[in-house]
Amino acid sequence: MTGRIVLPDTEPERPPEPPPHGPIVWAHENLFSTVASGILTVVVGTLVVLFLVGVLGFIFGADRRWDAVFFNTRLMMTQAYPEDQYFRVWLSLGIIVSLTGLSLAVWQVGGRVSLNRITRLLSSIGAGLIGLEVLGPFSIRARVIGILIGLVLIGGSYLVKRAAGERAKQETIPLMAIVGIVPALGVVALYVLRIPTRLAEDNYAEQVLAPIANSTRIPITVLFVVGVVAYSVGVLMLDRMPNATARVALVGLWVLSLPAIVLTILRDPELDYDKILAIPGFQEGYLWWAVIFAVGGSLLITYLGSPARGEGGRAIGGLLVVVALASWGVSMLVLIRLFLLFLATFALAAPTFGGGEGRARARIVGLWVMTVAAAAYFVVLVSGPSTVQVQTTFFIGGLFLSFILAIFGIVLSFPLGVLFALGRTSSMPIFRLMCVAYIEVVRGVPFITWLLTAIIVFPIFLPLGVQVSNVVAVLVMTVLFSAAYLAENVRGGLQSVSGGQIEAAKALGMTTAQTTVFIILPQALRAVIPALVGQVIGTFKDTSLVIIVGLFDFLAIARNVIPNQRVPFNNLDALTEPLMYAALVYWIFTFSFSRASQRLEKKLGVGER
Amino acid sequence: MADLGQDDIIICEGVKKWFGDFQALTGVTTRIKEQEVVVVIGPSGSGKSTFIRCINRLEAHQEGTIVVDGIELTNDLRNIEKIRAEVGMVFQQFNLFPHLTVLDNVTLAPLWVRKTPKGESDAQAMQLLERVGIPEQAEKYPGQLSGGQQQRVAIARALAMNPKIMLFDEPTSALDPEMIKEVLDVMKELAQSGMTMIVVTHEMGFAREVADRVLFFDYGTIVEEGTPEHFFTSPEHDRTKLFLSQIL
């Protein structure tokens, strides 16, 4: 019934002429197009070369001593985590690596790249290597080897490109196969490299070059294999199960694994089974409370989610919110308070998102039972003391502490930031005013001030008998602080969603909550990915400020491990290598994050509506 | 004018609406019967879009009464959502959801507003896409379709809620000339199937061919109304004559 428009298929007779190209054309167009620009190119080029010679000479110079970094690796990673418990650290890393491998495969990160691009990448690496060897302060032998490798890379990629011919543009290779080479080379390096090693525990002067210890290289090799296996399993999974299911399952695993790693594996809590299994009272009986809430909550959610109830069931949800908030004023298990809070949220959401289908309601009930189980599990774990005996305020420090603060800070502040953004753009004046006040106050005061506030002022407002460790106080502050900034970024996204979208959703009879969740937020968040990534990177780097309140994060330890190993000792000079090392580690993480987000942006097609 | 029959599905009495100091509707009174196709025409700024947007309360009127399918439009949110579910709307700018596939665009509202099971709503959506002639585009995103195809998806999306009334707000004004026909064809087929439709449009051919009644709007009110024959051949009002002389 519709007329389809058919375009006449007149292919042009001869193929289009290729535009003029080649390095000489490029240089002429971009570097020497006029006399002035030629002079500018020569002058700036000379300055850049001189700058690079200086910087490389500083970094790779003969008087750099990296032994401080090698000696203290363990300290910088985990602070004083007991050596005999180190398998817990490796196990945690193993979980993270396998989840990363699975996620990379299931989300098809990177996709496939053309042979053409790979050869271009390889020859630029070769050129970079040659440049590095020429400009840097290396021995003749190192220079010759480096330049040879560079030439092999350039020549090899040229030959491959020649051999492939026209196919080089169509032939594709999974990007991960290329990216995977980097950790593979790292693992090989573990067995080839020799690092400065002390001859005796307390003798810093006498050092020899020795192979890396097996206790380091074997776990890392295993981790690499685990990562590769996980990625392959992920690729196989892609063919066997619906993609959406795999993604939801993986997100769930990530969310669960983070507290599981921190609270159980690393913390190794001591459990009080008498309290857990006791007859339920307001101070004990964790297990039975969980059962009571799981069953009772399921019944309530089923009742509220049935289509016959309609949206009127929200009143019960509202009542539950009041009860849940009031429960914080009464002495009882924290677990019960949490359960009430969660139940109120579920009761509010059930009428809108429960769906009339039996299966949709079964899903939300299943989610409730899992929430109860997870909450009970983690609260029980946290309430037991840690068996990891360390003489500091927290059982772990170093890079691991930085990660814990960054990951939890980002993950927890995200929903809060979205809520504040929605509040700030809401049509309810009181709500809006509260959110504006919160955001402006938090953003108007330096983060360090807030950190000190968290340690000194917060405890005054806590209910009697409740104590929080410094790490928890700092984490809460990170979340609250980051949420204010996130809120402003998300608000930008909310404003970019056109009014027509909201009208279309409303015209279909969707409620405000449904419109927000299904229409506004997905588009708003997609529009502000660059700003959100900037915020995430900022949060990660800001974790280095916690030294102010006495927590030893990665940078803090890098600054503190130094003053012993250099004879004659010079404090300022001795800081150089660990600081460069810290900078490199921070840079590797933030840079890979920014690259990954750029690919994500491309994949979600920002800007092509 | 229309009698007080039971089959009046929309009743408007003295509807007035202001945007700030500007009065967009100056008292609109009309009744629309079930299965009737009403085409609204008039110069820009005459209030015709505002009028149909009042019918599903995308705009709130300030005076007068509007009764849709026996429910009076007031500030009661639950009534508004109920009416919006019964009244489909197609916009000039399509307003498809760019982050969802065509199929998801069509099934979203049935799934969450009507609470239709997924399998059922998917099957219904495919039927509707077939009806508007683009079942093969179900897995694509709106940005990958032509304007005419997007507007047909928008019609399918509105129909997925099984509405009793369809509102069209200049559905072909943002389209290239060669795509207008494919959208009008879908609308004609819809009119023949017995849907109650209110169409704001500048397509006089469509009005002449499909409409049961034409409303001519100016200065925020109905200046003249009648059957297409009467309207296009022997208009009574001077304002109507001037308008027709300029566009025909």
Side-chain angles (χ1 to χ4, degrees):
Chain A
M1 81 194 209
T2 56
R4 192 162 304 146
I5 294 101
V6 181
L7 288 172
D9 53 350
T10 46
E11 280 286 303
E13 287 289 310
R14 58 197 172 81
E17 288 179 57
H21 67 285
I24 294 171
V25 175
W26 183 87
H28 183 74
E29 277 177 4
N30 295 284
L31 300 177
F32 302 100
S33 54
T34 63
V35 176
S37 85
I39 293 171
L40 198 65
T41 301
V42 171
V43 170
V44 174
T46 315
L47 286 179
V48 168
V49 167
L50 288 176
F51 175 76
L52 282 179
V53 169
V55 168
L56 292 175
F58 184 75
I59 295 177
F60 296 102
D63 53 347
R64 291 274 82 81
R65 301 229 345 232
W66 297 97
D67 42 358
V69 172
F70 290 119
F71 289 166
N72 296 302
T73 300
R74 186 163 275 179
L75 204 57
M76 284 196 269
M77 292 301 145
T78 60
Q79 203 182 7
Y81 201 78
E83 237 173 288
D84 57 340
Q85 297 289 306
Y86 235 64
F87 67 93
R88 294 176 181 277
V89 175
W90 293 118
L91 181 62
S92 311
L93 286 175
I95 294 173
I96 292 174
V97 165
S98 35
L99 282 179
T100 308
L102 282 172
S103 307
L104 287 177
V106 168
W107 266 274
Q108 289 161 301
V109 178
R112 302 177 77 85
V113 288
S114 70
L115 200 57
N116 211 358
R117 262 191 68 186
I118 291 167
T119 53
R120 221 167 350 156
L121 180 75
L122 285 182
S123 39
S124 0
I125 291 176
L129 191 62
I130 293 175
L132 180 76
E133 294 290 343
V134 170
L135 299 178
F138 298 107
S139 66
I140 300 289
R141 183 163 162 263
R143 273 191 183 161
V144 169
I145 295 175
I147 290 174
L148 276 181
I149 295 177
L151 287 176
V152 166
L153 279 176
I154 294 176
S157 51
Y158 178 73
L159 287 179
V160 169
K161 203 174 161 186
R162 271 283 292 275
E166 262 309 294
R167 280 187 316 158
K169 275 184 189 153
Q170 288 118 36
E171 208 77 27
T172 59
I173 293 170
L175 180 71
M176 291 320 291
I178 309 295
V179 173
I181 290 176
V182 176
L185 285 177
V187 169
V188 172
L190 286 178
Y191 292 89
V192 177
L193 284 186
R194 284 156 183 272
I195 56 168
T197 309
R198 278 179 277 176
L199 281 181
E201 266 302 301
D202 51 355
N203 184 352
Y204 293 95
E206 282 185 67
Q207 290 170 12
V208 291
L209 286 180
I212 295 166
N214 274 337
S215 60
T216 300
R217 59 189 188 187
I218 290 177
I220 290 182
T221 314
V222 172
L223 281 183
F224 176 71
V225 174
V226 165
V228 172
V229 169
Y231 182 76
S232 322
V233 170
V235 171
L236 289 179
M237 235 161 67
L238 261 189
D239 302 335
R240 309 254 153 104
M241 68 193 286
N243 214 340
T245 320
R247 287 179 186 190
V248 170
L250 263 179
V251 169
L253 280 178
W254 271 112
V255 170
L256 282 182
S257 70
L258 292 175
I261 287 171
V262 173
L263 300 179
T264 40
I265 300 179
L266 290 179
R267 191 169 178 272
D268 187 23
E270 199 178 328
L271 300 181
D272 179 356
Y273 288 100
D274 289 343
K275 267 190 129 177
I276 294 168
L277 300 174
I279 296 160
F282 280 110
Q283 301 299 343
E284 41 197 5
Y286 286 84
L287 181 67
W288 305 115
W289 275 117
V291 172
I292 290 168
F293 269 91
V295 174
S298 299
L299 291 176
L300 181 72
I301 292 163
T302 317
Y303 171 74
L304 290 179
S306 94
R309 295 291 325 148
E311 306 275 315
R314 280 196 200 137
I316 297 177
L319 194 71
L320 267 171
V321 172
V322 176
V323 173
L325 292 180
S327 74
W328 290 83
V330 184
S331 168
M332 64 173 79
L333 281 183
V334 174
L335 187 66
I336 304 178
R337 295 173 178 154
L338 280 182
F339 281 161
L340 283 171
L341 211 55
F342 289 147
L343 186 60
T345 316
F346 270 78
L348 278 179
T352 311
F353 299 104
E357 204 182 348
R359 234 172 351 136
R361 253 182 301 156
R363 209 158 45 210
I364 201 167
V365 167
L367 195 65
W368 164 249
V369 174
M370 278 195 282
T371 309
V372 167
Y377 180 60
F378 289 127
V379 168
V380 165
L381 292 175
V382 173
S383 57
S386 170
T387 59
V388 180
Q389 297 298 327
V390 184
Q391 297 303 316
T392 47
T393 52
F394 196 47
F395 62 89
I396 205 163
L399 192 59
F400 239 108
L401 179 65
S402 298
F403 273 144
I404 291 172
L405 289 175
I407 293 174
F408 279 92
I410 290 159
V411 169
L412 296 178
S413 67
F414 198 78
L416 199 63
V418 170
L419 277 184
F420 279 127
L422 289 173
R424 193 167 183 173
T425 51
S426 126
S427 55
M428 286 176 272
I430 295 178
F431 210 47
R432 193 171 57 224
L433 201 70
M434 278 164 56
C435 291
V436 171
Y438 175 84
I439 291 169
E440 294 307 333
V441 167
V442 169
R443 292 202 313 159
V445 176
F447 187 41
I448 290 180
T449 314
W450 286 123
L451 286 180
L452 294 170
T453 310
I455 299 296
I456 297 160
V457 184
F458 271 8
I460 300 173
F461 293 102
L462 286 174
L464 212 63
V466 177
Q467 278 183 324
V468 291
S469 74
N470 281 2
V471 172
V472 174
V474 163
L475 184 59
V476 169
M477 208 62 244
T478 308
V479 169
L480 294 177
F481 186 78
S482 170
Y485 278 85
L486 271 172
E488 284 301 273
N489 290 336
V490 174
R491 188 168 68 101
L494 292 177
Q495 280 166 347
S496 77
V497 178
S498 76
Q501 291 288 313
I502 299 161
E503 280 182 357
K506 283 191 170 162
L508 288 165
M510 292 168 74
T511 63
T512 310
Q514 288 167 340
T515 308
T516 307
V517 172
F518 297 124
I519 307 300
I520 301 177
L521 278 182
Q523 295 184 52
L525 295 180
R526 214 166 63 158
V528 292
I529 290 174
L532 293 182
V533 172
Q535 180 59 35
V536 166
I537 289 176
T539 306
F540 177 51
K541 291 187 298 185
D542 278 353
T543 58
S544 59
L545 293 173
V546 297
I547 180 64
I548 288 288
V549 293
L551 293 178
F552 281 75
D553 72 304
F554 180 57
L555 181 64
I557 294 176
R559 281 184 56 217
N560 279 279
V561 292
I562 305 129
N564 261 332
Q565 15 81 25
R566 195 175 291 236
V567 185
F569 178 67
N570 172 344
N571 190 29
L572 269 185
D573 197 21
L575 275 167
T576 312
E577 293 89 358
L579 285 187
M580 287 204 288
Y581 175 67
L584 179 72
V585 171
Y586 276 112
W587 181 80
I588 286 175
F589 283 109
T590 52
F591 182 69
S592 11
F593 207 82
S594 125
R595 295 305 296 215
S597 83
Q598 277 172 22
R599 291 203 76 89
L600 181 74
E601 224 174 285
K602 226 178 182 176
K603 208 172 154 198
L604 291 177
V606 177
E608 349 168 355
R609 302 235 151 136
Chain B
M1 243 190 346
D3 51 316
L4 277 165
Q6 286 294 309
D7 54 351
D8 284 337
I9 195 164
I10 300 173
I11 303 168
C12 301
E13 294 284 352
V15 176
K16 294 182 183 176
K17 161 85 189 162
W18 287 263
F19 291 109
D21 287 336
F22 173 72
Q23 190 169 11
L25 296 179
T26 53
V28 179
T29 302
T30 189
R31 282 154 188 269
I32 292 164
K33 287 202 198 63
E34 234 171 286
Q35 306 215 336
E36 195 176 13
V37 177
V38 175
V39 170
V40 182
I41 59 180
S44 59
S46 61
K48 47 192 196 313
S49 281
T50 309
F51 168 62
I52 71 164
R53 287 160 63 84
C54 280
I55 291 176
N56 66 352
R57 213 175 172 83
L58 286 183
E59 307 287 356
H61 61 285
Q62 284 133 324
E63 276 180 32
T65 52
I66 303 178
V67 180
V68 178
D69 197 21
I71 304 172
E72 186 178 350
L73 288 183
T74 58
N75 277 327
D76 186 339
L77 215 66
R78 254 175 301 166
N79 275 350
I80 296 171
E81 274 162 15
K82 215 179 282 175
I83 286 170
R84 283 177 179 159
E86 302 300 336
V87 180
M89 187 160 190
V90 175
F91 299 85
Q92 180 179 358
Q93 300 295 343
F94 327 137
N95 291 343
L96 292 179
F97 306 131
H99 61 295
L100 299 176
T101 63
V102 165
L103 188 68
D104 290 340
N105 261 281
V106 179
T107 56
L108 185 69
L111 272 178
W112 295 102
V113 180
R114 288 257 188 266
K115 318 256 182 202
T116 317
K118 177 123 178 69
E120 212 174 288
S121 61
D122 275 357
Q124 186 211 14
M126 283 315 291
Q127 254 173 22
L128 285 169
L129 288 177
E130 206 125 346
R131 188 169 166 193
V132 299
I134 38 176
E136 72 281 1
Q137 314 281 12
E139 294 306 321
K140 287 197 184 162
Y141 286 87
Q144 297 167 301
L145 305 184
S146 72
Q149 289 173 328
Q150 290 193 42
Q151 193 61 295
R152 286 187 277 157
V153 173
I155 294 174
R157 177 177 73 178
L159 289 176
M161 290 292 286
N162 294 321
K164 293 183 177 160
I165 304 162
M166 284 284 283
L167 308 174
F168 292 84
D169 190 1
E170 305 202 20
T172 57
S173 298
L175 293 176
D176 290 342
E178 54 183 7
M179 290 168 185
I180 290 178
K181 187 179 173 299
E182 62 187 56
V183 172
L184 290 182
D185 283 344
V186 171
M187 288 166 63
K188 274 178 208 164
E189 187 265 342
L190 197 58
Q192 279 152 14
S193 74
M195 176 66 74
T196 313
M197 290 164 65
I198 306 181
V199 184
V200 174
T201 186
H202 297 296
E203 294 295 323
M204 294 305 148
F206 177 81
R208 216 186 279 249
E209 195 183 330
V210 183
D212 295 319
R213 187 151 57 107
V214 177
L215 304 182
F216 178 70
F217 260 71
D218 204 1
Y219 309 115
T221 190
I222 300 173
V223 174
E224 183 160 1
E225 63 175 294
T227 61
E229 281 146 67
H230 161 84
F231 184 81
F232 287 108
T233 51
S234 51
E236 282 158 20
H237 207 281
D238 286 343
R239 183 70 190 87
T240 320
K241 285 176 194 163
L242 180 68
F243 179 76
L244 288 175
S245 72
Q246 277 167 345
I247 59 163
L248 287 180

